[in-house]
Amino acid sequence: MTADTATELFEEHRPVLMGVAYRMLGRVADAEDVVQDAWLRWSGGDRTAVREPRGFLVRITTRLAVDRLRQIKARGETYVGPWLPEPYTTDFGDTVTDTAERAVLADSVSLAVLVVLETLSPLERAVFVLREAFGYPYADIAAMLDRGEAAVRQLAARARRHVDERRPRYDVDPARRRDLTERFLDAAAGGDLAGLMELLAPDVRLVGDSGGKARAPLRVLDGADHVGRFFVGVAVKGLPDASVRMIELNGGPALLVLSGGKPDTVVQIDADGDRIRTVYVVRNPDKLAALAALP
């Protein structure tokens, strides 16, 4: 295998490797570092015995991500306020044509699921991601993680049970979710409390992530009245030179609010039928920096 061929193969599989690393870490910069480390091992190692490059690269990336996640957990850093994953662009375009596969990939990268995955052990998270998001057989996962197949099956069952018990399940047609997002934007931007109350479920929750570096609720807001009045207050205060774009993040429509042309806030909703059940607000500037590069 020539150096040019090795580079072409790696670039061909880079989206999958980035997908694995991000689902493992919930942080774009960390995921990019892991993929870069995988490239260094691939480009500088002996590839003569590699018969299945994709599996080999996923194995390297997964192990590096497990190590990185262990390091993060070992540091025991205290985060100010609620934590949300870093928003991640997921416009699959023509790369995934199967509707069912698109749905699985979108669900596995949703904010709701990633928040729950943060509570798994590194090995449980790796098994869950490889099995549920990418459909790898247990035997392959066992080889990637250097574990017995029986142990991997136990990890998978424990992780799936944990996720099912803690994640909200809202099955909404993507077009319907986009429509609700647009209606939410119109009501919130206009400071229309009555319009917001029509869209918000009575037990709606607002989860804001500022990391202590921007203004956002430091506790989860519960209830339509609290959440609605919060957004009316935001509309009254306003942002200088504000504009809003709808983009796809974490498998669904999201609102990117810009101030002076720079990313200021990401807002995304989870809905059940005609009502919004959860509103996610990301304002930590460190988590929005990558979105400045969007065309």
Side-chain angles (χ1 to χ4, degrees):
M1 184 185 300
T2 66
D4 287 344
T5 301
T7 301
E8 290 173 2
L9 280 171
F10 189 88
E11 291 304 319
E12 176 186 343
H13 298 303
R14 181 184 288 273
V16 172
L17 305 182
M18 188 64 189
V20 170
Y22 175 75
R23 286 167 175 83
M24 282 289 300
L25 298 163
R27 302 158 179 84
V28 174
D30 284 339
E32 289 175 340
D33 287 346
V34 162
V35 172
Q36 179 62 22
D37 287 345
W39 159 248
L40 293 175
R41 297 196 180 196
W42 168 255
S43 62
D46 182 5
R47 301 179 298 271
T48 56
V50 176
R51 293 182 173 82
E52 214 292 291
R54 173 172 167 143
F56 181 82
L57 289 169
V58 169
R59 177 180 182 175
I60 293 174
T61 300
T62 301
R63 291 189 173 192
L64 288 169
V66 167
D67 290 342
R68 178 64 64 94
L69 193 56
R70 284 171 172 160
Q71 292 168 6
I72 292 171
K73 288 182 177 293
R75 289 200 296 264
E77 298 170 351
T78 301
Y79 196 80
V80 178
W83 178 92
L84 289 172
E86 183 176 347
Y88 181 55
T89 55
T90 52
D91 185 356
F92 299 118
D94 297 330
T95 60
V96 182
T97 56
D98 183 82
T99 303
E101 184 181 359
R102 288 176 70 95
V104 169
L105 287 172
D107 181 69
S108 68
V109 80
S110 69
L111 295 181
V113 168
L114 289 174
V115 167
V116 177
L117 293 189
E118 194 72 8
T119 64
L120 296 176
S121 73
L123 280 178
E124 287 172 340
R125 190 164 182 170
V127 171
F128 183 91
V129 167
L130 293 173
R131 179 65 181 173
E132 301 296 331
F134 295 96
Y136 277 99
Y138 291 115
D140 290 359
I141 299 173
M144 289 179 186
L145 298 175
D146 196 22
R147 293 292 190 280
E149 185 174 338
V152 165
R153 287 180 179 272
Q154 289 180 346
L155 286 168
R158 189 160 61 239
R160 166 47 63 191
R161 185 167 57 251
H162 182 93
V163 172
D164 285 344
E165 289 172 352
R166 289 163 176 78
R167 64 156 294 188
R169 282 199 172 276
Y170 308 134
D171 295 322
V172 178
D173 177 79
R176 181 63 184 148
R177 187 179 177 195
R178 186 178 184 88
D179 176 66
L180 282 170
T181 301
E182 291 174 343
R183 292 169 59 195
F184 171 82
L185 171 61
D186 290 341
D192 180 3
L193 181 59
L196 284 169
M197 295 299 284
E198 289 181 2
L199 297 173
L200 300 173
D203 58 350
V204 65
R205 303 170 73 243
L206 184 152
V207 184
D209 179 335
S210 69
K213 300 180 180 182
R215 291 181 63 85
L218 293 178
R219 293 183 297 177
V220 174
L221 297 185
D222 291 299
D225 186 64
H226 287 137
V227 174
R229 291 185 184 280
F230 169 82
F231 281 107
V232 168
V234 170
V236 169
K237 294 176 183 177
L239 281 174
D241 190 19
S243 61
V244 182
R245 293 176 56 190
M246 184 176 290
I247 59 177
E248 182 172 306
L249 295 173
N250 294 85
L255 302 173
L256 173 60
V257 182
L258 302 118
S259 178
K262 297 180 180 180
D264 178 271
T265 308
V266 162
V267 181
Q268 191 168 53
I269 66 168
D270 272 344
D272 182 7
D274 295 329
R275 293 295 186 98
I276 296 170
R277 304 299 301 269
T278 310
V279 184
Y280 300 102
V281 177
V282 181
R283 297 209 68 213
N284 185 336
D286 296 340
K287 295 186 177 183
L288 302 176
L291 299 180
L294 291 176

